[in-house]
Amino acid sequence: MITDRTLASSEDMHRHLVDELNLALRRVGMYGKLDMSMWFLIGHLLVLEQRFEVWEEQRDRWRQRGLWSSTGIEGAFASYFPSEHSLGASSVYAEFARAEGWLKADRVLDAQTYAVLRDEAGPWAGHDRSWADVTAAFGPPSIQIGGNNPRYGKTLGYLTDDLAQPMVAFHLWNGTDPGLQDRPSHEEPLLLAVRCGDGDFADSLTFTPQGRDRRSGAQ
């Protein structure tokens, strides 16, 4: 039996948990149910930072915005999206991680690029779009939630270094239409909605025509 162990420092543990959180945000499901895995990782980070009360305060803010339900953030997304709710919910956790200084973005937009994207994203979503359309129009995301396999949905989030500016999130879906059994309906994910803003959840969503049709099915 090994009795002599050297424990990692609190700084090393903090770095490890931040790395794990960034992985869990992108590879949804790798750590089990999203809300549970987020609570585990965020809870431990806040214990290390001696700020445990932040979690309850954040849940209250989400609840006031319509982003927190009896089944967590995923439950809030279920009212607007037909499936793949954990991908959208992960983007909300990513926003929180960003505000706390934990998120490691793959790309940070400069102020002008971000302003153009934010102004154009809503009107641009007035037409049906695909995954390739989003990246062709706005470039690679700051965070891609979900892998590169086109058989599955994903959420693309775009950020600037100004924490006062919210994430612009593109919610893409590739579920199964009736009659197709378990086969995804499309060659690549379709854009259902763009989400941006720190107010009421419903008001932050701009649906594509495809998204409006799918939304009626979700409700």
Side-chain angles (χ1 to χ4, degrees), residues 16 56 68 74 77 89 103 109 123 145 183 211 214:
H16 171 72
E56 185 61 37
W68 188 268
E74 290 185 68
F77 271 78
L103 183 66
L109 280 63
I145 297 168
R183 181 162 51 88
R214 305 284 175 184

Side-chain angles (χ1 to χ4, degrees), residues 68-114:
W68 188 268
S69 72
S70 59
T71 53
I73 295 176
E74 290 185 68
F77 271 78
S79 297
Y80 299 96
F81 296 92
S83 61
E84 302 172 332
H85 308 130
S86 60
L87 298 171
S90 185
S91 69
V92 178
Y93 285 111
E95 290 176 311
F96 174 59
R98 175 198 180 208
E100 296 301 316
W102 302 329
L103 183 66
K104 297 181 178 180
D106 300 315
R107 176 190 176 207
V108 178
L109 280 63
D110 61 58
Q112 182 177 1
T113 302
Y114 171 85

Side-chain angles (χ1 to χ4, degrees), residues 186-213:
H186 307 278
E187 292 185 1
E188 65 174 309
L190 303 179
L191 179 64
L192 296 190
V194 177
R195 182 176 63 84
C196 183
D198 53 9
D200 185 77
F201 181 32
D203 294 338
S204 70
L205 293 167
T206 301
F207 289 93
T208 62
Q210 184 78 225
R212 287 193 294 271
D213 291 342

Side-chain angles (χ1 to χ4, degrees), residues 98-171:
R98 175 198 180 208
E100 296 301 316
W102 302 329
L103 183 66
K104 297 181 178 180
D106 300 315
R107 176 190 176 207
V108 178
L109 280 63
D110 61 58
Q112 182 177 1
T113 302
Y114 171 85
V116 170
L117 184 154
R118 185 173 179 180
D119 288 344
E120 293 183 353
W124 187 84
H127 301 276
D128 285 327
R129 310 287 186 176
S130 69
W131 176 23
D133 294 329
V134 177
T135 55
F138 303 113
S142 304
I143 177 172
Q144 177 174 308
I145 297 168
N148 289 318
N149 191 329
R151 291 173 59 86
Y152 302 102
K154 49 202 90 264
T155 291
L156 309 181
Y158 291 81
L159 301 165
T160 181
D161 59 3
D162 182 357
L163 293 179
Q165 301 301 324
M167 175 189 290
V168 181
F170 293 79
H171 299 290

Side-chain angles (χ1 to χ4, degrees), residues 165-182:
Q165 301 301 324
M167 175 189 290
V168 181
F170 293 79
H171 299 290
L172 297 132
W173 170 91
N174 198 11
T176 302
D177 286 324
L180 294 180
Q181 298 180 347
D182 296 327

